Amino acid sequence: MMRTRPLKVALLGCGVVGSEVARIMTTHADDLTARIGAPVELAGVAVRRPSKVREGIDPALITTDATALLKRGDIDVAIEVIGGIEPARTLITTAFEHGISVVSANKALLAQDGAALHAAAEQYGLDLYYEAAVAGAIPLVRPMRESLAGDKINRVMGIVNGTTNFILDKMDSTGAGYQEALDEATALGYAEADPTADVEGYDAAAKAAILAGIAFHTRVRLDDVYREGMTEVSAADFASAKRMGCTIKLLAILERAADGESVTARVHPAMIPLSHPLASVREAYNAVFVEAEAAGRLMFYGPGAGGSPTASAVLGDLVAVCRNKLAEATGPGESAYTQLPVSPMGDVVTRYHISLDVADKPGVLAQVATTFAEHGVSIDTVRQQGRPDGVGNEASLVVVTHRAPDASLSGTVEALRKLDTVRGVASIMRVEGE
Ligand code: HSE
């Protein structure tokens, strides 16, 4: 039966995503009403700059006082698309204190304070939904929280940052260096004026923390995620990757340890074979590969950013939260019952691709091989070639290892750097996806 009293929505933030949310709420009002079972009404829009022209939004709805909007007593759902920690955190808490369920797209806040926000939602018997916080339009949070709730996820590996994927894809397809590819990404609007959050992996690490918590039913905070950016990836690394039949991606990798007693969460650039499904994710697209015990391997793919795709995820959450309201129920809350510890990066088992500049004389290869052996790292392949820059009596040595703990691999590299015959370590990259 259709309820005639509308569910009232407060929109907190009206930037690229918020304005799309408002537009779709207006243009698709009839469909949303039919799907929810009650009309849904935009009751107020909190912004920082009220003078900005916002097409399609009734100026009477605009306010700069988000707190007053939440406290006025008739709001059912708040949509937080402000981003950042404050004032978003205080506003979400205020919403819960006033009986308002929340839909948020705020990855940084959820990665940092997800546990406290979930606890507040539960305390007041309300919903906290955040599909848009990870990988834009791609349905991922809800499939992992709900569709896979009966399965056991052992591994998640994904490209969760579109800006860096665009840059790496350009480097791969054109042979460009990092700076040239970044400049193109900036000119096309993929990279922000300050690209630090993307290129240094902070954005991906926040998403990794959220996904790891959901995948393993435990608490993983931003600080638990090992993070390396992709600013050091060079055209030479891509040339090496190509020789191995690989490409390079900035990956978020979340794993349950073999004994099931701990988990790891990391973000770093890595070589992956061209045959891996993630290798074919081009431009600014995102994709996440989930390995579950019963389901097997699943891949989620699509646009991971942008106003319209992110608004799609927000609207999906809005419909779910409104349906819950009408049913006087709530959706799933935090599931952190396993309380698994997050192991340090040194415990991760992976493979390395290492390029060394070495003296080209008898015994050097044996010395290098001994260093690997002393650290318990088994070599898979070694390739030696004269230096492309024609430096006499020197050679480039490319070593690919078998799987070993990251601590042993980095200990090996440290020892290699100290050898007189090793002139320099040109690049080190993890190899994943086999
Ligand atoms: N800046 C992000 C990206 C989108 O490039 O994927 C928002 O998380």
Side-chain angles (χ1 to χ4, degrees):
M1 196 164 35
M2 187 71 72
R3 184 178 100 153
T4 49
R5 188 174 72 75
L7 287 149
K8 295 203 175 184
V9 176
L11 182 59
L12 311 179
C14 197
V16 177
V17 177
S19 52
E20 268 301 289
V21 169
R23 186 188 66 77
I24 298 170
M25 281 184 70
T26 308
T27 56
H28 294 187
D30 291 345
D31 286 328
L32 291 172
T33 300
R35 291 171 197 176
I36 291 167
V40 60
E41 176 187 313
L42 190 55
V45 182
V47 300
R48 255 185 322 179
R49 284 180 297 140
S51 54
K52 190 174 156 190
V53 177
R54 294 182 167 84
E55 222 173 287
I57 297 179
D58 179 355
L61 297 179
I62 303 286
T63 174
T64 53
D65 194 344
T67 307
L69 174 60
L70 295 171
K71 287 183 173 177
R72 72 184 210 190
D74 63 341
I75 303 295
D76 297 290
V77 184
I79 296 175
E80 184 270 308
V81 282
I82 302 169
I85 304 302
E86 286 295 352
R89 175 170 50 196
T90 302
L91 291 173
I92 290 176
T93 308
T94 303
F96 289 144
E97 286 165 357
H98 290 80
I100 300 167
S101 283
V102 173
V103 173
S104 173
N106 194 331
K107 60 197 165 271
L109 180 56
L110 282 151
Q112 184 180 301
D113 284 326
L117 295 177
H118 275 294
E122 193 177 338
Q123 180 189 343
Y124 292 101
L126 296 162
D127 273 330
L128 172 62
Y129 275 52
Y130 45 90
E131 183 64 69
V134 184
I138 306 174
L140 183 62
V141 170
R142 208 106 53 84
M144 283 174 63
R145 260 165 68 137
E146 299 184 36
S147 316
L148 291 169
D151 206 334
K152 183 178 184 187
I153 297 175
N154 289 321
R155 194 157 193 270
V156 178
M157 181 158 93
I159 296 164
V160 292
N161 183 272
T163 305
T164 49
N165 201 55
F166 181 88
I167 295 169
L168 291 169
D169 184 40
K170 280 289 152 214
M171 291 174 75
D172 188 26
S173 57
T174 66
Y178 165 71
Q179 190 59 49
E180 197 187 327
L182 171 62
D183 289 346
E184 188 178 345
T186 310
L188 293 172
Y190 287 111
E192 293 184 31
D194 177 1
T196 310
D198 293 319
V199 300
E200 294 297 352
Y202 292 102
D203 175 83
K207 294 164 180 169
I210 295 168
L211 290 181
I214 297 170
F216 306 129
H217 300 269
T218 192
R219 279 196 186 139
V220 178
R221 287 171 51 96
L222 185 54
D223 293 346
D224 296 322
V225 181
Y226 173 84
R227 178 195 54 78
E228 263 179 44
M230 44 71 73
T231 57
E232 304 289 319
V233 177
S234 66
D237 291 327
F238 271 101
S240 287
K242 281 202 170 123
R243 277 195 288 273
M244 282 179 61
C246 288
T247 187
I248 299 169
K249 297 290 187 189
L250 183 73
L251 297 178
I253 304 173
L254 323 167
E255 288 170 313
R256 192 188 291 276
D259 64 5
E261 298 296 316
S262 62
V263 298
T264 53
R266 53 191 165 120
V267 168
H268 55 70
M271 292 185 184
I272 52 166
L274 293 172
S275 56
H276 193 282
L278 289 177
S280 56
V281 177
R282 308 289 305 273
E283 303 197 323
Y285 281 89
N286 284 193
V288 179
F289 201 68
V290 177
E291 296 178 34
E293 212 165 80
R297 294 172 163 191
L298 308 168
M299 182 142 131
F300 300 83
Y301 171 87
S308 188
T310 309
S312 164
V314 169
L315 266 295
D317 279 355
L318 177 66
V319 170
V321 169
C322 287
R323 285 173 177 160
N324 292 343
K325 282 254 169 213
L326 292 183
E328 295 179 5
T330 52
E334 185 187 30
S335 174
Y337 69 94
T338 63
Q339 296 182 28
L340 293 171
V342 184
S343 299
M345 185 63 195
D347 289 0
V348 166
V349 176
T350 183
R351 300 174 65 204
Y352 269 23
H353 172 286
I354 306 166
S355 292
L356 305 167
D357 295 331
V358 296
D360 194 4
K361 60 182 189 183
V364 172
L365 190 55
Q367 210 181 12
V368 167
T370 302
T371 306
F372 279 87
E374 282 169 355
H375 289 81
V377 176
S378 173
I379 293 173
D380 181 16
T381 60
V382 183
R383 192 181 66 244
Q384 180 172 330
Q385 61 195 32
R387 286 272 300 268
D389 50 11
V391 176
N393 302 324
E394 289 200 9
S396 287
L397 207 56
V398 176
V399 181
V400 182
T401 72
H402 285 297
R403 281 161 58 80
D406 200 81
S408 307
L409 291 161
S410 57
T412 308
V413 172
E414 215 172 291
L416 288 170
R417 286 188 203 276
K418 290 185 186 144
L419 295 179
D420 288 345
T421 48
V422 173
R423 309 280 191 244
V425 179
S427 89
I428 309 160
M429 186 138 333
R430 296 181 182 88
V431 182
E432 303 288 340
E434 285 163 306

